[in-house]
Amino acid sequence: MAGGASRHDEQLRPETVVWRRIPPRHFPKKPGVERPDSPAFDDDSDVEPMSVVIAREGRDPFEVLVGHDGFGLVEFTIAELEAAGQDVVRDPLTEELDHALVVGSKTLATRRHLAKTCRWVVRPFSQQA
Amino acid sequence: MVMTARTLTGHEYPERPWPAPGTTQKAEPLPPIPAQLVPVVSKLHELLDLREGWNSYGARRIDPGAVVAALRILAQANWLGPLPNVAPTPRGGVELEWGGDDDGVEIECRPDGSMTVLVDVHGQMREWAVAGPDDPNLTEAFIWADKLG
């Protein structure tokens, strides 16, 4: 499935941004390290791909963190995920209509690459200026 | 161990008897853990307290076997180098990580007992499976871990 499913979805363009929550356990812990831990970008389970939320225009990123106190938020573009061999497919949920899945094999190298590629949208408190 | 030049038939393999109910079996002891690893032991122990769903995406609880495997890796190597970062994985495993934002070493211990090493140096990532804590293929990972801190 890798290599194009997201391209077939007219509403998901390469520049479309998606968000993923980062739990405190995956915040950077070492001085000088800025990025989250690689395991933050594994599939949700053996049968569930990694979840993300499509950053619909005008949506407040903090909405995605409601009920998840202390969590951070990072972003990718779909182009960045596809460059890592991942496809993004819409998977609307009752509680989150912008929910999507990042489908594709996630080796250790893929997860580390994603950790190095993502950008903080809501940074851990200790990293805020 | 008995060495034989021919293939054994199924009934020739010695069976390991199940322990009788109410009896105990001797567990394989952990090698001694260097005192300087106490902070890592403590962090690994904390991971066992994580509840299901700790990452907000339905993550599993951390498997004690994965924690023990990570401890065995460090103990077997008598690791006295830089202390690794310890991170839980959504599927119930643990990761040991050395290095920084760019270069680094990661060792993932999964609940099923499998382990994978990743070395990311000078923009090149290589990963390989290791058979266990005493697998000689861990040596390269430790060399880089020592360098990268």
Side-chain angles (χ1 to χ4, degrees):
Chain A
M1 189 159 171
S6 47
R7 280 176 234 138
H8 297 303
D9 186 329
E10 290 177 6
Q11 296 178 34
L12 298 180
R13 291 189 289 271
E15 64 273 21
T16 300
V17 168
V18 296
W19 292 323
R20 179 160 169 90
R21 286 188 295 273
I22 302 297
R25 286 283 174 179
H26 288 157
F27 287 173
K29 301 161 194 81
K30 203 170 160 182
V33 174
E34 291 278 312
R35 61 169 180 78
D37 294 336
S38 312
F41 305 103
D42 201 352
D43 285 334
D44 294 345
S45 74
D46 293 342
V47 293
E48 286 287 319
M50 185 173 96
S51 290
V52 290
V53 170
I54 297 162
R56 191 171 21 84
E57 197 174 335
R59 184 158 187 193
D60 183 348
F62 282 95
E63 278 180 29
V64 180
L65 296 177
V66 170
H68 304 289
D69 288 350
F71 278 56
L73 194 71
V74 295
E75 68 172 22
F76 297 96
T77 62
I78 286 182
E80 288 168 335
L81 291 168
E82 287 186 341
Q86 309 294 305
D87 282 324
V88 181
V89 291
R90 283 188 180 275
D91 181 43
L93 303 175
T94 312
E95 65 276 18
E96 178 55 81
L97 294 176
D98 294 320
H99 183 253
L101 296 171
V102 179
V103 181
S105 169
K106 292 176 188 65
T107 62
L108 270 184
T110 306
R111 286 177 254 158
R112 186 171 176 91
H113 174 76
L114 293 177
K116 291 167 91 167
T117 304
C118 72
R119 293 166 296 280
W120 287 106
V121 177
V122 179
R123 301 175 77 89
F125 185 76
S126 61
Q127 287 200 321
Q128 288 173 355
Chain B
M1 184 165 63
V2 178
M3 300 294 287
T4 175
R6 65 184 178 82
T7 305
L8 297 175
T9 60
H11 71 272
E12 288 175 308
Y13 281 103
E15 283 185 24
R16 296 181 69 181
W18 289 95
T23 62
T24 55
Q25 263 195 322
K26 191 178 174 189
E28 193 178 339
L30 269 176
I33 296 173
Q36 80 163 64
L37 288 176
V38 167
V40 179
V41 174
S42 171
K43 286 176 188 165
L44 283 166
H45 189 260
E46 279 175 24
L47 299 185
L48 295 172
D49 292 334
L50 290 175
R51 296 182 177 192
E52 197 169 318
W54 53 267
N55 71 344
S56 83
Y57 294 113
R60 288 169 55 178
R61 294 197 65 174
I62 301 307
D63 189 289
V67 168
V68 171
L71 283 174
R72 278 190 193 285
I73 285 175
L74 298 169
Q76 192 77 34
N78 193 28
W79 183 250
L80 299 172
L83 297 184
N85 175 33
V86 168
T89 75
R91 301 197 219 187
V94 298
E95 246 188 59
L96 303 172
E97 183 182 3
W98 292 264
D101 276 342
D102 296 321
D103 293 347
V105 173
E106 298 184 21
I107 302 176
E108 181 184 21
C109 303
R110 299 189 197 87
D112 65 3
S114 61
M115 299 174 189
T116 306
V117 172
L118 170 81
V119 172
D120 177 11
V121 184
H122 308 319
Q124 295 269 325
M125 290 197 217
R126 289 180 297 117
E127 72 177 80
W128 61 92
V130 290
D134 48 2
D135 189 325
N137 289 319
L138 278 165
T139 306
E140 184 185 346
F142 286 130
I143 290 169
W144 282 113
D146 200 30
K147 281 185 186 172
L148 298 172

